[in-house]
Amino acid sequence: QVQLVESGGGLVQAGGSLRLSCAASGSIFSINAMGWYRQAPGKQRELVAAITSGGSTNYADSVKGRFTISRDNAKNTVYLQMNSLKPEDTAVYYCNADLRALGYGREYDYWGQGTQVTVSS
């Protein structure tokens, strides 16, 4: 059984900061890429940022220069530091991991339950 548990969401004023965390736990053999997605009401889920096991990163254009993704491989944890937040960043943020569980021969996508981020103007 593998779980991704997010924390750190909340309500913040525009221009403020939040830090999201996501810890993967359970019978994990290996983790490749980890990332953060978000889904605003009435919109499709979109990639916010991703990071490989080697530390290479990828960001959506809308968050470049404001958000920073990082990970601690020893703790199977990925972080998203969000600065200069805007009302349009309001969404449910989901953690994603491309990981291989013990007893499985390949990687699968796993998702967290989501954490709400609300930015007031």
Side-chain angles (χ1 to χ4, degrees):
Q1 191 82 352
V2 173
Q3 278 189 315
L4 300 183
V5 179
E6 299 126 333
S7 60
L11 173 64
V12 65
Q13 287 188 332
S17 298
L18 283 173
R19 188 188 193 216
L20 305 183
S21 299
C22 171
S25 63
S27 303
I28 297 170
F29 179 79
S30 62
I31 304 178
N32 291 335
M34 300 184 80
W36 291 94
Y37 289 71
R38 67 186 180 188
Q39 187 166 20
K43 294 188 176 182
Q44 288 190 328
R45 190 175 295 190
E46 62 175 359
L47 174 68
V48 176
I51 184 167
T52 67
S53 57
S56 297
T57 58
N58 181 42
Y59 295 93
D61 287 343
S62 59
V63 306
K64 283 181 181 176
R66 300 188 297 123
F67 291 10
T68 301
I69 190 170
S70 61
R71 66 190 278 176
D72 184 333
N73 290 331
K75 296 181 179 179
N76 290 336
T77 300
V78 64
Y79 307 95
L80 186 67
Q81 177 67 43
M82 304 185 293
N83 299 328
S84 303
L85 281 161
K86 304 175 181 180
E88 50 264 44
D89 294 318
T90 295
V92 178
Y93 284 69
Y94 296 91
C95 174
N96 170 266
D98 178 38
L99 70 81
R100 182 177 168 185
L102 288 172
Y104 288 80
R106 49 158 285 190
E107 292 79 13
Y108 290 89
D109 264 347
Y110 289 81
W111 293 90
Q113 79 285 358
T115 185
Q116 177 70 46
V117 171
T118 302
V119 184
S120 62
S121 57

